[in-house]
Amino acid sequence: MIEKYGKRSDQETITLTTLTERYQRGNESSRDYGKALREITNKLFALTSDTDDVKQALKDQFGSGLRDSSLRTKAKEKQYKMKVKDFSFDELVEY
């Protein structure tokens, strides 16, 4: 149908690449970046966004996609601690 009628202008194609290539933008706070990742994840994995694998992918992308290297290091430290104690994605973003 898309080939015949075209894509609606308000629809955005979300793929796994959309998530894995999403990095924090220059004018974007880490909180806003986290929110954007969560929105992508919720659209991409609408029925399974609450599974452990999806949660881990979200945390990994957040940590690797931060603009500031010291924040990336802090996020990786927090992720290491998360393996010992169960922290949520929101706790990682707020860290």
Side-chain angles (χ1 to χ4, degrees), residues 55-68:
K55 288 177 184 178
Q56 188 59 50
L58 182 60
K59 293 171 189 175
D60 290 344
Q61 184 58 36
F62 179 78
S64 65
L66 287 167
R67 185 177 64 245
D68 183 275

Side-chain angles (χ1 to χ4, degrees), residues 78-89:
K78 179 72 170 188
Q79 283 181 295
Y80 176 76
K81 291 177 183 177
M82 290 168 80
K83 294 191 188 306
V84 176
K85 182 178 180 235
D86 189 25
F87 289 93
S88 70
F89 174 71

Side-chain angles (χ1 to χ4, degrees), residues 25-64:
R25 297 179 177 139
N27 62 344
E28 189 172 44
S29 71
S30 57
R31 219 176 250 139
D32 289 342
Y33 172 56
K35 182 180 176 185
L37 288 179
R38 182 169 306 279
E39 289 173 2
I40 291 169
T41 304
N42 288 343
K43 289 177 185 176
L44 185 60
F45 302 105
L47 299 177
T48 59
S49 64
D50 202 35
T51 65
D52 290 340
D53 290 338
V54 173
K55 288 177 184 178
Q56 188 59 50
L58 182 60
K59 293 171 189 175
D60 290 344
Q61 184 58 36
F62 179 78
S64 65

Side-chain angles (χ1 to χ4, degrees), residues 2 7 10-15 18 44:
I2 290 176
K7 188 171 79 168
D10 63 340
Q11 284 183 324
E12 179 184 355
T13 302
I14 303 290
T15 65
T18 307
L44 185 60

